Amino acid sequence: MRSITQAVNEKYSDDDEDTSGSGFILFVRKSSPRKRLPSTLILDHCEIDSVGDEQFLSSTLHEVNELDLAHNQISKWTEINKLISCLPKLSFLNLSYNLLGSANVNAPQILHPSLKKLVLNRVGIQWNDLVPYLSLTPNLEELHLSFNQIEISDQEKDNETIQVFPKIATLHFDGNRVENRDHLRWISTKFPSLTSLVLCDCPLWTLRWTSPAAREAQGRNMSGSSLASSSSSTGSLSASFCSGDGKTSPCCAPFLERDCTEPIGKESTDSILFPCLRSISLNNSMFDCWEEIDQIRNWPSLAELRMQSCPLFQRMTEHERREMTIARLPNLRRLNGGGDISAKEREEAERNFLRRFHDSEVKPARYQELLDMHGHVAPFAKVKLAPPKVANVSVRYGEQSWNEKNLSLYMTMKELKEKFSFELGLPASKLRLWHSDHQQPMLMRFPAKQLYSYNVKDGDEILIDEKLG
């Protein structure tokens, strides 16, 4: 184990290199030790467990504004207090993967106005223990709290003196216990100026329900009570797969039938979440119904969405997922990275959405909006791309003629010749077959070639004659 002081000396010292193996020695005046370190220090994976000489840090690191201490062994918050007090210009601090936990958290009693980005991924801290630190960083703009198993308690949600952090615009909250709409409201209230939110790998299963119990109670009041009775132990009313077509996805029907005075997709002004949010990542969430995704359009500033690997998408191709999402969310400008959604792609997605739900028993609310916008959209013509397997042809041999119905086009010319040989009582080796599509007859020369390769089709004629000699 070592201190930050030791790690800095080892990595950034100006000690002379070993010259014992050189052929001559040049004596010069010894240079003074480095007094000015880089403004960005990378000290990850250095087995650091303490600060060390505070006086040295204050005098040597006072110009440092970015410090990465990820993957070290710091376990005491008192060491973090010492560090912060020694670095008055620090704007970025990464403490990820240190075993800090929530025990004995005592924040320093001085403000740290220079800190703008704080990274605390996998340090084991809980929210209530972090608040004192956040209160002393009034200019913090970006906060990373991923994979700390942070739980949002009911007491915190109902607390009348909710502490707000209006300067924080970017929040990474991956892998924490964000499950339902109340949890999202908690985040929106704590960070009212959020423009970017990352919620990957969270057990988030609903954007419209406040809890499993509330959803289950709602289901009991719906006419589709049979759906509620078949729900899982978690209270989910959703089917195992939702296509959103009103036929194979009964999970959408109860929400459409709810007793509500406001139109679907609309919220009262005081219940709007994330008024400033422009970008959100919801990868590996637990959504299993398109009605959940429809709620995203209620976030007034949202333009960019990342959402992959949800149960809802399991039985859909990537193209279908993208097309359905774009059609349902008119506010999106970018989906899953890449360039902006073009006007052409959006129009195609919306028109295909109308085709998809044209014959559905239960249509999404978005259907009527798009119908008013694009009008009736004719369904795609059903085109059979597979070649026909049989054909009805006429056969003529001399003065005899007859019709062959459902003649297999996968039969070879040799097999057809043997068939006619049996019917005419003539040896197959003596027969020749000609194919005529009412133009110049063509001799069928290749015994192993199947009839569809000769372009035999309904209405054509097979002519039979005998070889001479």
Side-chain angles (χ1 to χ4, degrees):
M1 297 298 177
R2 56 171 62 89
S3 67
I4 296 178
T5 303
Q6 292 172 321
V8 169
N9 282 329
E10 292 175 9
K11 187 169 184 177
Y12 297 100
S13 66
D14 283 332
D15 292 344
D16 294 339
E17 296 181 359
D18 182 15
T19 59
S20 60
S22 59
F24 61 91
I25 299 176
L26 177 65
F27 290 95
V28 297
R29 180 178 296 178
K30 182 177 175 62
S31 60
S32 60
R34 174 183 282 187
K35 294 182 179 179
R36 186 179 182 86
L37 292 175
S39 60
T40 299
L41 297 185
I42 309 298
L43 297 174
D44 60 314
H45 295 89
C46 291
E47 298 186 351
I48 294 171
D49 65 346
S50 62
V51 169
D53 189 340
E54 296 178 53
Q55 185 176 358
F56 171 83
L57 292 183
S58 296
S59 61
T60 309
L61 277 64
H62 64 280
E63 295 294 330
V64 171
N65 53 45
E66 295 188 10
L67 178 59
D68 186 352
L69 291 172
H71 294 276
N72 282 296
Q73 305 297 321
I74 304 173
S75 60
K76 298 180 180 179
W77 283 97
T78 53
E79 298 300 312
I80 305 303
N81 298 346
K82 296 175 186 178
L83 176 66
I84 291 177
S85 63
C86 292
L87 304 177
K89 296 185 179 181
L90 189 66
S91 63
F92 169 84
L93 177 60
N94 184 3
L95 295 170
S96 298
Y97 294 89
N98 284 275
L99 306 177
L100 290 166
S102 282
N104 302 317
V105 178
N106 295 308
Q109 298 304 311
I110 58 173
L111 289 176
H112 200 72
S114 64
L115 195 61
K116 294 185 177 180
K117 183 183 292 187
L118 179 60
V119 185
L120 295 171
N121 297 331
R122 295 188 188 272
V123 299
I125 195 170
Q126 289 299 308
W127 173 254
N128 289 337
D129 299 312
L130 179 64
V131 169
Y133 273 95
L134 297 183
S135 301
L136 296 173
T137 55
N139 296 316
L140 194 67
E141 298 174 356
E142 184 170 334
L143 178 61
H144 295 242
L145 291 174
S146 297
F147 298 101
N148 284 298
Q149 291 298 309
I150 294 176
E151 295 188 6
I152 302 171
S153 66
D154 294 335
Q155 292 180 353
E156 180 68 18
K157 289 184 294 182
D158 299 334
N159 193 340
E160 295 181 358
T161 58
I162 295 178
Q163 198 154 5
V164 176
F165 303 95
K167 289 290 187 68
I168 296 179
T170 300
L171 176 64
H172 288 246
F173 213 65
D174 304 13
N176 292 310
R177 301 297 298 178
V178 180
E179 299 182 9
N180 53 56
R181 183 180 173 82
D182 271 353
H183 295 169
L184 294 177
R185 184 180 292 111
W186 182 90
I187 296 174
S188 180
T189 302
K190 290 288 185 185
F191 309 100
S193 302
L194 277 184
T195 59
S196 177
L197 176 61
V198 182
L199 290 176
C200 301
D201 298 294
C202 292
L204 180 61
W205 56 272
T206 179
L207 301 179
R208 52 182 171 145
W209 304 90
T210 57
S211 67
R215 191 179 190 186
E216 187 174 5
Q218 183 80 2
R220 286 195 296 267
N221 294 330
M222 296 302 163
S223 60
S225 58
S226 60
L227 298 174
S229 63
S230 62
S231 63
S232 67
S233 59
T234 61
S236 173
L237 291 176
S238 298
S240 58
F241 168 66
C242 171
S243 65
D245 58 9
K247 294 180 180 179
T248 60
S249 49
C251 58
C252 296
F255 191 65
L256 291 171
E257 297 169 1
R258 75 200 190 292
D259 182 14
C260 182
T261 57
E262 294 186 4
I264 296 172
K266 301 295 182 181
E267 294 188 83
S268 59
T269 303
D270 60 352
S271 66
I272 291 177
L273 304 180
F274 307 116
C276 303
L277 193 66
R278 295 196 297 266
S279 172
I280 190 169
S281 295
L282 297 171
N283 292 340
N284 297 315
S285 298
M286 303 304 295
F287 301 121
D288 58 4
C289 179
W290 279 105
E291 287 291 329
E292 305 295 348
I293 310 305
D294 289 343
Q295 306 308 302
I296 294 176
R297 65 180 296 191
N298 290 323
W299 302 343
S301 301
L302 191 73
E304 181 173 353
L305 171 66
R306 290 179 180 269
M307 186 174 60
Q308 298 180 0
S309 301
C310 300
L312 176 63
F313 297 153
Q314 288 179 356
R315 300 185 187 179
M316 304 180 73
T317 65
E318 183 177 353
H319 176 73
E320 289 173 332
R321 295 195 298 265
R322 181 175 179 86
E323 194 171 69
M324 283 281 284
T325 305
I326 291 173
R328 286 177 175 269
L329 301 177
N331 51 327
L332 284 191
R333 296 295 173 267
R334 185 175 296 178
L335 177 61
N336 294 327
D340 289 349
I341 299 169
S342 66
K344 179 180 179 181
E345 183 182 14
R346 175 165 292 283
E347 182 177 358
E348 289 179 354
E350 291 174 349
R351 293 174 72 86
N352 286 339
F353 186 86
L354 290 172
R355 293 186 178 99
R356 182 185 185 101
F357 293 100
H358 180 267
D359 296 323
S360 297
E361 299 171 5
V362 179
K363 293 179 172 61
R366 181 69 171 147
Y367 180 87
Q368 188 58 48
E369 296 178 27
L370 294 178
L371 188 63
D372 295 340
M373 185 185 306
H374 297 289
H376 175 70
V377 178
F380 288 122
K382 295 182 179 180
V383 179
K384 294 183 178 180
L385 300 178
K389 297 181 179 181
V390 296
N392 298 326
V393 300
S394 59
V395 182
R396 180 156 53 92
Y397 171 68
E399 298 297 327
Q400 303 180 49
S401 62
W402 67 93
N403 292 325
E404 286 284 347
K405 295 183 178 180
N406 297 324
L407 182 67
S408 174
L409 297 181
Y410 289 88
M411 179 184 295
T412 64
M413 190 273 281
K414 179 181 178 181
E415 292 171 337
L416 182 60
K417 184 185 291 188
E418 291 173 351
K419 170 182 170 64
F420 291 152
S421 170
F422 177 78
E423 294 176 354
L424 296 173
L426 298 171
S429 58
K430 296 291 186 180
L431 299 181
R432 291 192 306 177
L433 304 184
W434 301 75
H435 170 231
S436 173
D437 56 358
H438 308 292
Q439 296 182 8
Q440 182 69 28
M442 299 291 295
L443 179 63
M444 303 171 74
R445 296 178 179 274
F446 306 102
K449 197 172 181 180
Q450 294 174 308
L451 299 186
Y452 72 83
S453 300
Y454 288 100
N455 294 322
V456 176
K457 57 185 181 298
D458 283 343
D460 287 357
E461 188 175 30
I462 302 293
L463 306 177
I464 306 174
D465 67 0
E466 294 184 55
K467 295 179 182 178
L468 300 176

